[in-house]
Amino acid sequence: MKITDFSRTNSIINQYMSEMRDKDYQHNRLLFRNNIMRIGELEAYEISKTLSYEEREVRTPLGTAMVSVPADKVVLATIFRAGLPFHSGFLNIFDHAGNAFVSAYREYTDRSHTDVSIHVEYLATPDIDGKTLIIADPMLATGGSMELAYKALLTKGTPKNVHVACVIAAPEGIDHIRKTFPDDRTTIWCAAIDPGLNEHKYIVPGFGDAGDLCYGEKI
Ligand SMILES: O=P(O)(O)OC[C@H]1O[C@H](OP(=O)(O)OP(=O)(O)O)[C@H](O)[C@@H]1O
Ligand SMILES: O=c1cc[nH]c(=O)[nH]1
Ligand SMILES: [Mg+2]
């Protein structure tokens, strides 16, 4: 399994991350969602370099040009809620892609909020058989949501390869993907790998609850 962590390279992504992590700056939901979207666009661009390409003849008003275009069929999957602005960023780049949506939400099962169970209730997807599947979700914490979303999608075909795209990953989540995804066909892309999870299974330092920062608190 390959992992690309963009924080290891100096790029504008690190500026967006500093704004999203800053507890005084991150409360502007419009800016927060916009930064998630921009990181989605930049990750999508990097993923585009890994696709297979084919030559296509294009007629211009003045002649013909040979252009190398992606041959792979891409499906962009995301997980509600926090995945939505991230997915928008990917779709800005892969505008011809198919789109899949999964609802997976974490719920505490005990009073001390240390045990988390994950529920999948909704799946809308095109056929993913033989396609390049990108699952975009900004937070890879325990990895449970990503695994269940992937398993739900697998009921609709077997992808050629899988890109797990996130903004912040925890080592626990990466280990979980390593155990549950096909090793030779999976790549993880993230803007940072943080040290770990707290007792409530939040990424530390992370940036808090990504869904709430995008859309407000839920009851
Ligand atoms: O790796 P995990 O431990 O499964 O955690 C990651 C999940 O947590 C967040 O969703 P959450 O369930 O908080 O829902 P929300 O996006 O609606 O806030 C995030 O968007 C991921 O889907
Ligand atoms: O740190 C975390 C972990 C899961 N989901 C979030 O939104 N944040
Ligand atoms: Mg979620």
Side-chain angles (χ1 to χ4, degrees):
M1 192 178 79
K2 286 186 256 129
I3 303 176
T4 298
D5 171 4
F6 292 105
S7 72
R8 292 176 164 271
T9 318
N10 284 334
S11 82
I12 194 65
I13 290 179
N14 294 337
Q15 171 69 33
Y16 305 155
M17 288 295 282
S18 78
E19 294 169 1
M20 294 167 76
R21 287 188 193 271
D22 184 329
K23 67 182 176 53
D24 298 320
Y25 193 96
Q26 62 173 200
H27 289 296
N28 186 319
R29 289 185 208 154
L30 179 66
L31 296 181
F32 190 84
R33 289 195 306 273
N34 199 49
N35 276 338
I36 289 204
M37 187 181 74
R38 294 195 290 186
I39 293 175
E41 289 172 351
L42 294 167
E43 287 192 9
Y45 174 67
E46 294 300 324
I47 291 173
S48 77
K49 297 177 189 172
T50 71
L51 300 177
S52 308
Y53 283 74
E54 63 191 13
E55 289 278 297
R56 188 170 300 162
E57 191 179 277
V58 181
R59 290 180 62 186
T60 79
L62 302 177
T64 58
M66 294 306 292
V67 189
S68 188
V69 294
D72 292 333
K73 299 270 179 285
V74 174
V75 173
L76 301 176
T78 198
I79 306 174
F80 295 143
R81 286 175 301 170
L84 291 176
F86 202 35
H87 175 269
S88 285
F90 278 83
L91 192 54
N92 287 345
I93 305 305
F94 293 117
D95 50 308
H96 299 292
N99 294 280
F101 298 91
V102 185
S103 80
Y105 63 94
R106 304 184 343 150
E107 195 172 55
Y108 292 110
T109 51
D110 61 331
R111 280 168 173 263
S112 60
H113 284 196
T114 50
D115 293 329
V116 170
S117 72
I118 295 151
H119 306 264
V120 174
E121 285 177 358
Y122 174 84
L123 170 68
T125 181
D127 182 7
I128 61 166
D129 220 31
K131 311 256 175 81
T132 293
L133 176 65
I134 300 174
I135 314 181
D137 186 335
M139 308 308 274
L140 186 66
T142 64
S145 302
M146 189 57 74
E147 182 203 355
L148 290 188
Y150 175 59
K151 289 202 165 135
L153 290 160
L154 279 188
T155 63
K156 308 297 174 190
T158 306
K160 179 172 145 189
N161 41 42
V162 187
H163 297 278
V164 171
C166 50
V167 177
I168 306 185
E172 292 87 337
I174 292 174
D175 285 347
H176 195 73
I177 299 301
R178 220 186 278 285
K179 287 186 197 129
T180 52
F181 280 58
D183 194 57
D184 54 334
R185 290 185 288 121
T186 302
T187 308
I188 296 180
W189 305 81
C190 59
I193 299 176
D194 277 8
L197 304 177
N198 68 12
E199 68 274 26
H200 306 299
K201 307 286 190 286
Y202 273 86
I203 299 175
V204 180
F207 38 52
D209 191 304
D212 288 2
L213 287 163
C214 288
Y215 298 111
E217 286 181 14
K218 56 182 186 278
I219 51 169

